[in-house]
Amino acid sequence: MVEYIVFFGLVISGFVFLGLDIRRIKGIQVQQNIPPYFEELNKCESPIEKRVLKALWMRDHKATAQYPMSPYRLDLALPDYRIAIECDGKTYHSSPKQKAHDRKRDKYLRSKGWITLRFSGKDINGNMSKVINRIESEIQKKHFIT
């Protein structure tokens, strides 16, 4: 008797999971109320972006991940202060072509009134307090300007 209960329980749970998977494949979204922090955390593209985002939110700075700034997209942004935070991986941002692209992007952002703060993965992983202090010093400068 117990074997039948276990068997039919497994069959029913298999159909439930099959139905959920079919909904996922078809793109049917189940409405979820995800807190803003987790929404931003899910948008981060690298572990170093997540570390900076977590540290900023812990200090009550509501940073936005993957902020659109046409024609670019910022790793992290503090839109109220017009601060762009770029978390540069070791290999990707070290090529001459990428450095030229970064300079062009920074110039564009400056023309829109933004400041760009760039931090390497080494800085983020090795000295987060220094990274946060640098960001907060820019926030303080922006407070005095406005």
Side-chain angles (χ1 to χ4, degrees):
M1 179 70 175
V2 173
E3 294 87 9
Y4 288 112
I5 293 172
V6 171
F7 174 75
F8 285 111
L10 290 172
V11 169
I12 291 169
S13 63
F15 280 114
V16 169
F17 285 112
L18 177 65
L20 290 172
D21 196 41
I22 289 170
R23 289 179 72 164
R24 182 187 59 82
I25 291 169
K26 288 185 176 181
I28 299 171
Q29 296 277 329
V30 177
Q31 187 65 15
Q32 296 176 350
N33 291 332
I34 300 173
Y37 168 74
F38 292 109
E39 217 171 276
E40 294 305 319
L41 198 59
N42 286 337
K43 290 192 283 182
C44 289
E45 293 184 343
S46 72
I48 57 176
E49 286 176 26
K50 286 183 180 185
R51 287 200 68 209
V52 175
L53 182 82
K54 286 177 186 178
L56 288 170
W57 276 70
M58 286 175 61
R59 301 289 292 244
D60 208 30
H61 301 297
K62 305 302 185 222
T64 304
Q66 302 307 313
Y67 187 79
M69 190 72 182
S70 187
Y72 302 104
R73 190 176 64 190
L74 311 176
D75 289 346
L76 300 172
L78 294 166
D80 294 344
Y81 305 106
R82 292 184 177 231
I83 297 174
I85 302 163
E86 292 298 312
C87 304
D88 296 341
K90 181 180 176 182
T91 54
Y92 182 70
H93 289 273
S94 61
S95 72
K97 182 178 178 181
Q98 187 58 42
K99 284 183 180 183
H101 180 265
D102 289 345
R103 282 192 299 275
K104 180 180 173 187
R105 171 194 193 127
D106 294 349
K107 183 179 177 183
Y108 172 80
L109 290 171
R110 269 193 311 276
S111 74
K112 300 294 182 189
W114 285 67
I115 183 169
T116 304
L117 302 176
R118 290 189 174 278
F119 300 103
S120 68
K122 182 179 177 183
D123 290 338
I124 292 167
N125 290 323
N127 197 349
M128 181 59 79
S129 61
K130 182 179 174 185
V131 170
I132 297 302
N133 287 339
R134 174 76 174 98
I135 294 168
E136 287 182 332
S137 76
E138 285 302 323
I139 290 171
Q140 288 299 321
K141 287 179 190 177
K142 296 281 186 166
H143 259 307
F144 291 121
I145 293 172
T146 58

